[in-house]
Amino acid sequence: MTRRRWIAEHWDEMTATLVGAQAEHMTRVLRAQPGMEADIVAGGRVFHAEVAAVTNGHGATSVVRFNLIAELKADPALPVTLVMAVYKFDRMEWAIEKATELGVAAVAPVIARRTEKHLAQAAEKRVERWRRIAHEAAQQSRRSDVPVIHEPEPLAARVRSASTDTRIVLAEQERSTSLRIALEEYVAAAQAGMPPLELAIGPEGGWAPEEEELFDANGWRAVSLGPRILRAETAAIAALAVAASFLE
Ligand code: SAM
C-alpha cells in the first residue's frame, strides 16, 4: 500500500514535524498514533518516517512529530520557471495547480500591460493563497518539493533581470519556430541535459507590441505552440508538457 505523503513544515536531520491544518487532519481524521508510517518531504528530500508523538490540540495547536527512518529517492522538479502574466485569478490558480502537478520549479507572476488593473492591484494579496494551492497540489501529486511562488513584479523587471536561464516567450503571433524545435536546439547545444528554462505566458489580451520588443531586446526567444490561439492556462500546461518531454 502506498504510504501517504506529507510535506513537513519543520525538520532536522532526525525528525520532522507537521503543525496546523495538516497535523489537525492527521490527528482528528486519520487518528494518527505513534508507530503510524508515512512518507515525509523535508527540504526537498523524501523520507520513510514513523509517527513519534501526537499532540491533539484544537486548530493550529495540533502537532505530529515523526522520526525519519530512511531517505527515499526524490524526483527532482523540472528546472522550469513559469513566468505568468497575472490574469483571471480562478484560471490562474487552476494553472498553478496543474503546473505544480507537472513538476514546475517556480511560478513568477508578472504584471503585463494587458493585465486588468484590479487584478494587478489585488495580486500581492493573493500570493499566500497561490502558495497554499501549490503546497496542496505538490502534496497530492507526491512531489518531493513545493514550487516557489515569487512575489508579483512588473513584466519589465523580470524580462530585464539578469539570468543564466534559457528564456523563452510563448508568442501567439510567432509562426516560424515551435517550442519543440527551440528546445531540440537547446538540448543539442547543452552539455548536460537541459539548461534551466524560463517560459513566459501572456495575459488574456496577449502581449502588447512593446512587450514583444522588450523580450526580443533582452534575448528572450519567441516560440509558437501552433496555429491555434490557446487560453493562457492551456498554453502554460502545453508548454510545460513539451518541456517535460525533453527532461524526463
Ligand atoms: N489575445 C491574444 C489573441 O487573441 O491573439 C491571445 C492571448 S492568449 C489567450 C494568452 C497567452 O497564451 C499568449 O500571450 C501566449 O503567451 C500564449 N499562447 C496562446 N496561444 C499560443 C500559441 N499558439 N503559441 C504560443 N503562445 C500562445
Coordinates of all heavy atoms in Angstrom, one line a residue, residues 91-186:
R91 N -8.7 31.1 -13.1 CA -8.0 30.4 -14.1 C -6.5 30.3 -13.8 O -5.9 29.3 -14.1 CB -8.2 31.1 -15.5 CG -9.6 31.0 -16.0 CD -9.8 31.6 -17.4 NE -11.2 31.5 -17.8 CZ -11.7 30.4 -18.3 NH1 -10.9 29.3 -18.4 NH2 -12.9 30.3 -18.7
M92 N -6.0 31.4 -13.3 CA -4.5 31.4 -13.0 C -4.2 30.4 -11.9 O -3.2 29.6 -11.9 CB -4.1 32.8 -12.5 CG -2.7 33.0 -12.4 SD -2.3 34.7 -12.2 CE -0.6 34.5 -11.7
E93 N -5.2 30.3 -10.9 CA -5.0 29.3 -9.8 C -5.1 27.9 -10.3 O -4.3 27.0 -9.9 CB -6.0 29.6 -8.7 CG -5.6 30.9 -8.0 CD -6.7 31.5 -7.1 OE1 -7.7 30.8 -6.9 OE2 -6.5 32.6 -6.5
W94 N -5.9 27.7 -11.3 CA -6.0 26.3 -11.9 C -4.7 26.0 -12.6 O -4.1 24.9 -12.4 CB -7.1 26.3 -12.9 CG -7.4 25.0 -13.6 CD1 -8.2 24.0 -13.1 CD2 -6.7 24.5 -14.8 NE1 -8.1 22.9 -14.0 CE2 -7.2 23.2 -15.0 CE3 -5.9 25.0 -15.7 CZ2 -6.8 22.4 -16.1 CZ3 -5.5 24.3 -16.8 CH2 -6.0 23.0 -17.0
A95 N -4.1 27.0 -13.3 CA -2.8 26.9 -14.0 C -1.7 26.6 -13.0 O -0.8 25.7 -13.2 CB -2.5 28.1 -14.8
I96 N -1.7 27.2 -11.8 CA -0.7 27.0 -10.8 C -0.8 25.6 -10.3 O 0.2 24.8 -10.1 CB -0.8 28.0 -9.6 CG1 -0.4 29.4 -10.1 CG2 0.0 27.6 -8.4 CD1 -0.6 30.5 -9.1
E97 N -2.0 25.1 -10.0 CA -2.2 23.7 -9.6 C -1.7 22.7 -10.6 O -0.9 21.8 -10.3 CB -3.7 23.5 -9.3 CG -4.0 22.1 -8.8 CD -5.5 21.8 -8.6 OE1 -6.2 21.7 -9.6 OE2 -5.9 21.7 -7.4
K98 N -2.0 22.9 -11.9 CA -1.6 22.0 -12.9 C -0.1 22.0 -13.2 O 0.6 21.0 -13.4 CB -2.4 22.2 -14.2 CG -3.9 22.0 -14.1 CD -4.3 20.7 -13.4 CE -5.7 20.8 -12.8 NZ -5.8 19.7 -11.8
A99 N 0.4 23.2 -13.1 CA 1.9 23.4 -13.3 C 2.6 22.7 -12.2 O 3.7 22.1 -12.4 CB 2.2 24.9 -13.4
T100 N 2.1 22.7 -11.0 CA 2.7 22.0 -9.9 C 2.7 20.5 -10.1 O 3.7 19.9 -9.9 CB 2.0 22.4 -8.6 OG1 2.1 23.8 -8.3 CG2 2.6 21.6 -7.4
E101 N 1.5 20.0 -10.6 CA 1.5 18.6 -10.8 C 2.5 18.2 -11.9 O 3.0 17.1 -11.9 CB 0.0 18.2 -11.3 CG -1.0 18.4 -10.2 CD -2.4 18.2 -10.8 OE1 -2.6 17.4 -11.7 OE2 -3.3 19.0 -10.4
L102 N 2.7 19.1 -12.9 CA 3.6 18.8 -14.0 C 5.1 19.0 -13.6 O 6.0 18.8 -14.4 CB 3.3 19.7 -15.2 CG 2.0 19.2 -16.0 CD1 1.5 20.3 -16.9 CD2 2.4 18.0 -16.8
G103 N 5.3 19.4 -12.4 CA 6.7 19.5 -11.9 C 7.4 20.8 -11.9 O 8.6 20.9 -11.7
V104 N 6.7 21.9 -12.2 CA 7.4 23.2 -12.4 C 8.2 23.5 -11.1 O 7.8 23.2 -10.0 CB 6.3 24.3 -12.7 CG1 5.6 24.7 -11.4 CG2 6.9 25.5 -13.3
A105 N 9.3 24.2 -11.3 CA 10.1 24.5 -10.1 C 9.7 25.8 -9.5 O 9.8 26.0 -8.3 CB 11.6 24.6 -10.6
A106 N 9.2 26.8 -10.3 CA 8.8 28.0 -9.7 C 7.8 28.7 -10.7 O 7.7 28.4 -11.9 CB 10.0 29.0 -9.6
V107 N 6.9 29.6 -10.1 CA 6.0 30.4 -10.9 C 6.3 31.8 -10.5 O 6.4 32.2 -9.3 CB 4.5 30.0 -10.5 CG1 3.6 31.0 -11.3 CG2 4.2 28.6 -10.8
A108 N 6.5 32.6 -11.6 CA 6.8 34.1 -11.3 C 5.6 34.9 -11.9 O 5.6 35.1 -13.1 CB 8.1 34.4 -12.0
P109 N 4.7 35.4 -11.1 CA 3.6 36.2 -11.6 C 4.1 37.5 -12.0 O 5.0 38.1 -11.3 CB 2.7 36.3 -10.4 CG 3.1 35.3 -9.4 CD 4.6 35.1 -9.6
V110 N 3.7 38.0 -13.2 CA 4.2 39.3 -13.6 C 3.0 40.2 -14.0 O 1.9 39.6 -14.5 CB 5.2 39.2 -14.8 CG1 6.5 38.7 -14.4 CG2 4.6 38.4 -16.0
I111 N 3.1 41.5 -13.9 CA 2.0 42.4 -14.3 C 2.4 42.9 -15.7 O 3.4 43.6 -15.9 CB 2.0 43.6 -13.3 CG1 1.9 43.1 -11.8 CG2 0.8 44.5 -13.7 CD1 0.7 42.2 -11.5
A112 N 1.5 42.5 -16.7 CA 1.7 42.9 -18.1 C 0.9 44.1 -18.4 O 0.0 44.4 -17.6 CB 1.4 41.7 -19.0
R113 N 1.1 44.6 -19.5 CA 0.3 45.8 -19.9 C -1.2 45.5 -20.0 O -2.0 46.3 -19.6 CB 0.8 46.3 -21.3 CG 0.1 47.6 -21.6 CD 0.7 48.8 -21.7 NE 0.7 49.0 -23.2 CZ -0.5 49.1 -23.9 NH1 -1.6 48.8 -23.3 NH2 -0.4 49.3 -25.2
R114 N -1.5 44.3 -20.4 CA -2.9 44.0 -20.6 C -3.4 43.2 -19.4 O -4.5 42.6 -19.5 CB -3.1 43.2 -21.9 CG -2.9 44.2 -23.1 CD -2.9 43.5 -24.4 NE -2.6 44.4 -25.5 CZ -2.2 43.9 -26.7 NH1 -2.1 42.6 -27.0 NH2 -2.0 44.8 -27.7
T115 N -2.7 43.2 -18.3 CA -3.3 42.6 -17.0 C -4.3 43.6 -16.5 O -4.0 44.8 -16.4 CB -2.2 42.5 -16.0 OG1 -1.3 41.4 -16.4 CG2 -2.7 42.1 -14.6
E116 N -5.5 43.1 -16.2 CA -6.6 44.1 -15.8 C -6.1 44.8 -14.5 O -5.5 44.1 -13.6 CB -7.9 43.3 -15.6 CG -8.5 42.8 -16.9 CD -9.7 41.9 -16.7 OE1 -10.5 42.3 -15.8 OE2 -9.8 40.9 -17.3
K117 N -6.4 46.0 -14.4 CA -5.9 46.9 -13.3 C -6.3 46.3 -11.9 O -5.4 46.2 -11.1 CB -6.4 48.3 -13.4 CG -5.9 49.1 -14.6 CD -4.4 49.6 -14.4 CE -3.8 50.0 -15.7 NZ -3.3 48.9 -16.5
H118 N -7.5 45.9 -11.8 CA -7.9 45.5 -10.4 C -7.2 44.2 -10.1 O -6.9 43.9 -8.9 CB -9.5 45.3 -10.4 CG -10.0 44.2 -11.1 ND1 -10.1 44.1 -12.5 CD2 -10.5 43.0 -10.7 CE1 -10.6 43.0 -12.9 NE2 -10.9 42.3 -11.9
L119 N -6.9 43.4 -11.1 CA -6.1 42.1 -10.8 C -4.7 42.5 -10.4 O -4.1 41.9 -9.5 CB -6.2 41.2 -11.9 CG -7.6 40.7 -12.4 CD1 -7.5 39.8 -13.6 CD2 -8.3 39.9 -11.2
A120 N -4.1 43.4 -11.1 CA -2.7 43.9 -10.8 C -2.7 44.4 -9.3 O -1.8 44.0 -8.6 CB -2.3 45.0 -11.7
Q121 N -3.7 45.1 -8.9 CA -3.7 45.7 -7.6 C -3.9 44.6 -6.5 O -3.3 44.6 -5.4 CB -4.8 46.7 -7.4 CG -4.3 48.1 -8.0 CD -5.5 48.9 -8.5 OE1 -6.7 48.5 -8.3 NE2 -5.2 50.0 -9.2
A122 N -4.7 43.6 -6.9 CA -5.0 42.5 -5.9 C -4.0 41.4 -5.8 O -4.0 40.6 -4.9 CB -6.4 42.0 -6.2
A123 N -3.1 41.4 -6.8 CA -2.2 40.2 -7.0 C -1.4 39.9 -5.7 O -1.2 38.8 -5.2 CB -1.3 40.4 -8.2
E124 N -0.8 41.0 -5.1 CA 0.1 40.8 -4.0 C -0.6 40.1 -2.8 O 0.0 39.3 -2.1 CB 0.6 42.2 -3.5 CG 2.0 42.4 -4.0 CD 2.6 43.7 -3.6 OE1 2.6 44.1 -2.4 OE2 3.0 44.4 -4.6
K125 N -1.9 40.4 -2.7 CA -2.7 39.8 -1.6 C -3.0 38.4 -1.8 O -3.5 37.7 -1.0 CB -4.0 40.6 -1.3 CG -3.7 42.1 -0.8 CD -5.0 42.7 -0.3 CE -4.8 44.2 -0.1 NZ -4.8 44.9 -1.5
R126 N -2.9 37.9 -3.1 CA -3.3 36.6 -3.4 C -2.1 35.6 -3.4 O -2.3 34.4 -3.5 CB -3.8 36.5 -4.9 CG -5.1 37.3 -5.1 CD -6.3 36.7 -4.4 NE -6.8 35.6 -5.1 CZ -8.1 35.4 -5.3 NH1 -9.0 36.3 -5.0 NH2 -8.6 34.3 -5.8
V127 N -0.9 36.1 -3.1 CA 0.3 35.2 -3.2 C 0.2 34.1 -2.2 O 0.5 33.0 -2.5 CB 1.6 36.1 -3.1 CG1 2.8 35.1 -3.0 CG2 1.7 37.0 -4.3
E128 N -0.2 34.4 -1.0 CA -0.3 33.4 0.1 C -1.2 32.3 -0.4 O -1.0 31.1 -0.2 CB -0.6 34.0 1.4 CG 0.6 34.6 2.1 CD 1.9 33.8 2.0 OE1 1.8 32.6 2.3 OE2 2.9 34.3 1.5
R129 N -2.3 32.7 -1.0 CA -3.3 31.7 -1.5 C -2.7 30.8 -2.5 O -2.8 29.6 -2.6 CB -4.6 32.4 -2.0 CG -5.6 31.5 -2.6 CD -6.8 32.3 -3.1 NE -7.6 31.5 -4.0 CZ -8.5 30.6 -3.7 NH1 -8.7 30.3 -2.4 NH2 -9.1 29.9 -4.6
W130 N -1.9 31.5 -3.5 CA -1.3 30.7 -4.6 C -0.2 29.8 -4.0 O -0.1 28.7 -4.5 CB -0.6 31.7 -5.5 CG -1.6 32.6 -6.3 CD1 -2.9 32.4 -6.5 CD2 -1.3 33.8 -6.9 NE1 -3.5 33.4 -7.2 CE2 -2.5 34.3 -7.5 CE3 -0.1 34.6 -7.1 CZ2 -2.6 35.5 -8.2 CZ3 -0.2 35.8 -7.8 CH2 -1.4 36.2 -8.3
R131 N 0.4 30.2 -2.9 CA 1.4 29.3 -2.3 C 0.7 28.1 -1.6 O 1.2 26.9 -1.7 CB 2.3 30.1 -1.3 CG 3.2 31.0 -2.0 CD 4.0 31.9 -1.1 NE 5.0 32.7 -1.9 CZ 5.4 33.9 -1.5 NH1 5.0 34.5 -0.4 NH2 6.2 34.6 -2.3
R132 N -0.5 28.3 -1.0 CA -1.2 27.2 -0.4 C -1.7 26.2 -1.5 O -1.6 25.0 -1.4 CB -2.4 27.7 0.3 CG -2.3 27.9 1.8 CD -3.6 28.0 2.5 NE -4.6 28.7 1.9 CZ -4.7 30.1 1.9 NH1 -3.8 30.8 2.6 NH2 -5.7 30.7 1.3
I133 N -2.1 26.8 -2.7 CA -2.6 25.9 -3.8 C -1.4 25.1 -4.3 O -1.5 23.8 -4.5 CB -3.1 26.8 -4.9 CG1 -4.5 27.4 -4.5 CG2 -3.2 26.0 -6.2 CD1 -5.0 28.4 -5.4
A134 N -0.2 25.7 -4.4 CA 1.0 24.9 -4.8 C 1.4 23.9 -3.8 O 1.7 22.7 -4.2 CB 2.1 25.9 -5.1
H135 N 1.3 24.2 -2.5 CA 1.6 23.2 -1.5 C 0.7 22.0 -1.5 O 1.1 20.9 -1.5 CB 1.5 23.9 -0.1 CG 2.0 23.1 1.1 ND1 1.3 22.0 1.6 CD2 3.2 23.1 1.8 CE1 1.9 21.5 2.6 NE2 3.1 22.1 2.7
E136 N -0.6 22.3 -1.6 CA -1.6 21.2 -1.7 C -1.4 20.3 -2.9 O -1.4 19.1 -2.9 CB -3.0 21.8 -1.6 CG -3.4 22.2 -0.2 CD -4.5 23.2 -0.1 OE1 -5.3 23.3 -1.1 OE2 -4.7 23.9 0.9
A137 N -1.2 21.0 -4.1 CA -1.0 20.2 -5.3 C 0.3 19.4 -5.3 O 0.3 18.3 -5.7 CB -1.0 21.2 -6.5
A138 N 1.3 19.9 -4.6 CA 2.6 19.2 -4.5 C 2.4 18.0 -3.7 O 2.9 16.9 -4.0 CB 3.7 20.1 -3.9
Q139 N 1.6 18.2 -2.5 CA 1.4 17.0 -1.7 C 0.5 16.0 -2.4 O 0.9 14.8 -2.4 CB 0.6 17.5 -0.4 CG 0.6 16.5 0.7 CD 0.7 17.1 2.0 OE1 1.8 17.4 2.5 NE2 -0.4 17.4 2.6
Q140 N -0.5 16.4 -3.1 CA -1.5 15.5 -3.7 C -0.7 14.7 -4.8 O -0.9 13.5 -5.0 CB -2.6 16.3 -4.3 CG -3.6 15.5 -5.2 CD -3.1 15.4 -6.6 OE1 -2.5 16.3 -7.1 NE2 -3.4 14.2 -7.2
S141 N 0.2 15.4 -5.5 CA 0.9 14.7 -6.7 C 2.2 14.0 -6.2 O 3.0 13.6 -7.0 CB 1.2 15.7 -7.8 OG 1.9 16.8 -7.3
R142 N 2.4 14.0 -4.9 CA 3.5 13.2 -4.3 C 4.8 13.8 -4.8 O 5.8 13.1 -5.1 CB 3.4 11.7 -4.6 CG 2.2 11.1 -3.9 CD 2.1 9.6 -4.1 NE 3.2 8.9 -3.5 CZ 3.3 8.5 -2.2 NH1 2.3 8.9 -1.4 NH2 4.3 7.9 -1.7
R143 N 4.9 15.1 -4.9 CA 6.2 15.7 -5.3 C 7.1 15.7 -4.1 O 6.7 15.5 -2.9 CB 6.0 17.2 -5.7 CG 5.5 17.3 -7.1 CD 5.4 18.8 -7.6 NE 6.7 19.5 -7.5 CZ 7.0 20.5 -8.2 NH1 6.2 21.0 -9.1 NH2 8.1 21.2 -8.0
S144 N 8.4 15.9 -4.4 CA 9.4 15.9 -3.3 C 9.7 17.3 -2.9 O 10.6 17.6 -2.1 CB 10.8 15.3 -3.8 OG 10.5 14.1 -4.4
D145 N 9.0 18.3 -3.5 CA 9.3 19.7 -3.1 C 8.0 20.5 -3.5 O 7.1 20.0 -4.1 CB 10.5 20.2 -3.9 CG 10.3 20.1 -5.4 OD1 9.3 19.4 -5.8 OD2 11.0 20.8 -6.2
V146 N 8.0 21.7 -3.1 CA 6.9 22.6 -3.4 C 7.4 23.7 -4.3 O 8.5 24.3 -4.0 CB 6.3 23.2 -2.1 CG1 5.1 24.1 -2.4 CG2 5.9 22.2 -1.1
P147 N 6.8 24.0 -5.4 CA 7.3 25.0 -6.3 C 7.3 26.4 -5.6 O 6.5 26.7 -4.7 CB 6.3 25.1 -7.5 CG 5.2 24.2 -7.1 CD 5.6 23.4 -6.0
V148 N 8.3 27.2 -5.9 CA 8.4 28.6 -5.4 C 7.4 29.4 -6.1 O 7.3 29.4 -7.3 CB 9.8 29.1 -5.6 CG1 9.9 30.6 -5.2 CG2 10.8 28.3 -4.8
I149 N 6.6 30.2 -5.4 CA 5.7 31.2 -6.0 C 6.3 32.5 -5.7 O 6.3 33.0 -4.5 CB 4.3 31.1 -5.5 CG1 3.7 29.7 -5.5 CG2 3.4 32.1 -6.2 CD1 3.6 29.1 -6.9
H150 N 6.9 33.2 -6.7 CA 7.5 34.5 -6.4 C 6.5 35.6 -6.2 O 5.3 35.4 -6.5 CB 8.4 34.9 -7.6 CG 9.6 34.0 -7.9 ND1 10.7 34.0 -7.0 CD2 9.8 33.0 -8.8 CE1 11.5 33.1 -7.5 NE2 11.0 32.5 -8.5
E151 N 6.9 36.7 -5.6 CA 6.1 37.9 -5.5 C 5.8 38.5 -6.8 O 6.7 38.5 -7.7 CB 6.8 38.9 -4.6 CG 7.0 38.6 -3.1 CD 5.7 38.4 -2.4 OE1 4.7 39.2 -2.7 OE2 5.6 37.6 -1.5
P152 N 4.6 39.0 -7.1 CA 4.3 39.6 -8.4 C 5.3 40.8 -8.6 O 5.6 41.5 -7.7 CB 2.9 40.1 -8.3 CG 2.3 39.3 -7.2 CD 3.4 39.0 -6.2
E153 N 5.7 40.9 -9.9 CA 6.5 42.1 -10.2 C 6.2 42.6 -11.6 O 5.6 41.9 -12.4 CB 8.0 41.6 -10.2 CG 8.3 40.5 -11.2 CD 9.8 40.0 -11.1 OE1 10.7 40.7 -10.8 OE2 9.9 38.8 -11.4
P154 N 6.6 43.8 -12.0 CA 6.3 44.3 -13.3 C 7.0 43.4 -14.3 O 8.1 43.0 -14.1 CB 6.8 45.7 -13.3 CG 7.0 46.1 -11.9 CD 7.2 44.8 -11.1
L155 N 6.4 43.2 -15.5 CA 7.0 42.3 -16.5 C 8.4 42.8 -16.8 O 9.3 42.0 -16.9 CB 6.1 42.3 -17.8 CG 6.7 41.6 -19.0 CD1 6.6 40.1 -18.7 CD2 6.0 41.9 -20.3
A156 N 8.6 44.1 -17.0 CA 9.9 44.6 -17.4 C 11.0 44.2 -16.5 O 12.1 43.9 -16.8 CB 9.8 46.1 -17.6
A157 N 10.6 44.2 -15.2 CA 11.7 43.8 -14.2 C 12.1 42.4 -14.4 O 13.3 42.1 -14.4 CB 11.1 44.0 -12.7
R158 N 11.2 41.5 -14.6 CA 11.5 40.1 -14.9 C 12.3 39.9 -16.2 O 13.3 39.3 -16.3 CB 10.3 39.2 -14.9 CG 10.4 37.8 -15.4 CD 11.3 36.9 -14.6 NE 11.0 36.6 -13.3 CZ 11.5 35.6 -12.6 NH1 12.3 34.8 -13.1 NH2 11.2 35.5 -11.3
V159 N 11.8 40.6 -17.2 CA 12.4 40.4 -18.6 C 13.8 41.0 -18.6 O 14.7 40.4 -19.2 CB 11.6 41.2 -19.6 CG1 12.3 41.2 -21.0 CG2 10.2 40.5 -19.8
R160 N 14.1 42.1 -17.8 CA 15.4 42.7 -17.9 C 16.3 42.1 -16.8 O 17.5 42.3 -16.8 CB 15.3 44.2 -17.6 CG 14.6 45.0 -18.7 CD 14.9 46.5 -18.5 NE 14.3 47.3 -19.6 CZ 13.2 48.0 -19.4 NH1 12.6 48.1 -18.2 NH2 12.7 48.7 -20.4
S161 N 15.8 41.3 -15.9 CA 16.6 40.8 -14.8 C 17.7 39.9 -15.3 O 17.6 39.2 -16.4 CB 15.8 39.9 -13.8 OG 15.2 38.8 -14.5
A162 N 18.9 39.9 -14.6 CA 20.0 39.0 -15.1 C 19.6 37.6 -14.8 O 19.0 37.2 -13.8 CB 21.2 39.4 -14.3
S163 N 20.0 36.7 -15.7 CA 19.7 35.3 -15.5 C 20.5 34.4 -16.4 O 20.9 34.9 -17.6 CB 18.2 35.0 -15.8 OG 17.9 33.6 -15.8
T164 N 20.9 33.3 -16.0 CA 21.6 32.3 -16.9 C 20.7 31.3 -17.5 O 21.1 30.4 -18.2 CB 22.7 31.6 -16.0 OG1 22.0 30.9 -14.9 CG2 23.8 32.5 -15.5
D165 N 19.4 31.5 -17.2 CA 18.4 30.5 -17.7 C 18.2 30.7 -19.2 O 18.6 31.8 -19.8 CB 17.0 30.8 -17.1 CG 17.0 30.3 -15.6 OD1 18.1 29.8 -15.2 OD2 16.0 30.4 -15.0
T166 N 17.7 29.7 -19.9 CA 17.3 29.8 -21.3 C 15.9 30.4 -21.3 O 15.0 29.8 -20.7 CB 17.3 28.4 -21.9 OG1 18.7 27.9 -21.9 CG2 16.8 28.5 -23.4
R167 N 15.7 31.6 -21.9 CA 14.5 32.3 -21.7 C 13.7 32.3 -22.9 O 14.1 32.7 -24.0 CB 14.8 33.7 -21.2 CG 15.7 33.7 -20.0 CD 16.2 35.1 -19.5 NE 15.4 35.5 -18.3 CZ 15.6 36.6 -17.7 NH1 16.5 37.5 -18.1 NH2 14.9 36.9 -16.6
I168 N 12.4 31.9 -22.8 CA 11.5 31.7 -23.9 C 10.2 32.4 -23.7 O 9.7 32.3 -22.6 CB 11.3 30.1 -24.1 CG1 12.6 29.5 -24.6 CG2 10.2 29.9 -25.1 CD1 12.5 27.9 -24.6
V169 N 9.7 33.1 -24.7 CA 8.4 33.7 -24.5 C 7.4 33.0 -25.5 O 7.8 32.9 -26.7 CB 8.5 35.2 -24.8 CG1 9.1 35.6 -26.1 CG2 7.1 35.9 -24.7
L170 N 6.3 32.6 -25.0 CA 5.3 32.0 -25.8 C 4.5 33.1 -26.5 O 3.9 33.9 -25.8 CB 4.4 31.1 -24.9 CG 4.9 29.7 -24.5 CD1 5.2 28.9 -25.7 CD2 6.0 29.8 -23.6
A171 N 4.6 33.1 -27.8 CA 4.1 34.3 -28.5 C 3.1 33.8 -29.6 O 3.4 33.0 -30.5 CB 5.2 35.0 -29.2
E172 N 1.8 34.2 -29.4 CA 0.7 33.6 -30.2 C 0.9 34.1 -31.7 O 0.4 33.5 -32.6 CB -0.6 34.0 -29.7 CG -1.0 35.5 -29.6 CD -0.4 36.2 -28.3 OE1 0.5 35.6 -27.7 OE2 -0.9 37.3 -28.0
Q173 N 1.6 35.2 -31.9 CA 1.8 35.6 -33.3 C 3.0 34.9 -34.0 O 3.1 35.0 -35.2 CB 2.0 37.2 -33.3 CG 1.0 38.0 -32.5 CD -0.4 37.7 -32.8 OE1 -0.7 37.2 -33.9 NE2 -1.3 38.0 -31.9
E174 N 3.8 34.3 -33.2 CA 5.0 33.7 -33.8 C 4.7 32.5 -34.7 O 3.8 31.7 -34.3 CB 5.9 33.2 -32.6 CG 7.1 32.3 -33.0 CD 8.1 33.0 -33.9 OE1 8.2 34.3 -33.8 OE2 8.7 32.4 -34.8
R175 N 5.3 32.4 -35.8 CA 4.9 31.2 -36.7 C 6.2 30.4 -37.1 O 6.0 29.3 -37.5 CB 4.2 31.7 -37.9 CG 2.8 32.1 -37.7 CD 1.9 30.9 -37.4 NE 0.5 31.2 -37.0 CZ 0.1 31.5 -35.8 NH1 1.0 31.4 -34.8 NH2 -1.1 31.8 -35.5
S176 N 7.4 31.1 -37.0 CA 8.5 30.4 -37.6 C 9.1 29.3 -36.7 O 9.6 28.3 -37.2 CB 9.6 31.4 -38.0 OG 10.0 32.0 -36.8
T177 N 9.1 29.5 -35.4 CA 9.7 28.5 -34.5 C 8.8 27.9 -33.5 O 8.1 28.7 -32.8 CB 10.9 29.2 -33.8 OG1 11.7 29.8 -34.7 CG2 11.7 28.1 -33.0
S178 N 8.7 26.6 -33.5 CA 7.9 26.0 -32.5 C 8.7 25.8 -31.2 O 9.9 25.7 -31.2 CB 7.4 24.6 -33.0 OG 8.5 23.7 -33.0
L179 N 8.0 25.6 -30.1 CA 8.7 25.4 -28.8 C 9.5 24.1 -28.9 O 10.7 24.1 -28.5 CB 7.7 25.3 -27.7 CG 8.2 24.9 -26.3 CD1 9.3 25.9 -25.8 CD2 7.1 24.7 -25.3
R180 N 9.0 23.1 -29.6 CA 9.7 21.8 -29.7 C 11.0 22.0 -30.4 O 12.1 21.6 -30.0 CB 8.8 20.8 -30.4 CG 9.5 19.4 -30.5 CD 8.6 18.4 -31.2 NE 8.3 18.8 -32.6 CZ 9.1 18.8 -33.7 NH1 10.3 18.3 -33.5 NH2 8.7 19.2 -34.8
I181 N 11.0 22.8 -31.5 CA 12.2 23.0 -32.3 C 13.2 23.7 -31.5 O 14.4 23.4 -31.4 CB 11.9 23.8 -33.6 CG1 11.0 23.0 -34.5 CG2 13.2 24.2 -34.3 CD1 11.5 21.9 -35.3
A182 N 12.8 24.8 -30.8 CA 13.7 25.6 -30.0 C 14.3 24.7 -28.9 O 15.5 24.7 -28.6 CB 12.9 26.7 -29.3
L183 N 13.5 23.8 -28.2 CA 14.1 23.0 -27.2 C 15.0 22.0 -27.7 O 16.0 21.6 -27.1 CB 12.9 22.4 -26.4 CG 12.1 23.3 -25.5 CD1 11.0 22.6 -24.8 CD2 13.0 24.1 -24.5
E184 N 14.7 21.4 -28.9 CA 15.6 20.5 -29.5 C 17.0 21.1 -29.7 O 18.0 20.5 -29.4 CB 15.1 20.0 -30.9 CG 14.1 18.8 -30.8 CD 13.4 18.5 -32.1 OE1 13.6 19.2 -33.1 OE2 12.6 17.6 -32.1
E185 N 17.0 22.4 -30.1 CA 18.3 23.1 -30.3 C 19.0 23.3 -29.0 O 20.2 23.0 -28.9 CB 18.0 24.5 -31.0 CG 17.6 24.4 -32.4 CD 17.1 25.8 -32.9 OE1 17.3 26.8 -32.2 OE2 16.4 25.8 -34.0
Y186 N 18.3 23.6 -28.0 CA 18.9 23.9 -26.7 C 19.5 22.6 -26.1 O 20.5 22.6 -25.5 CB 17.9 24.6 -25.7 CG 17.5 26.0 -26.1 CD1 16.2 26.3 -26.2 CD2 18.5 26.9 -26.4 CE1 15.9 27.6 -26.6 CE2 18.2 28.2 -26.8 CZ 16.8 28.5 -26.9 OH 16.5 29.8 -27.3

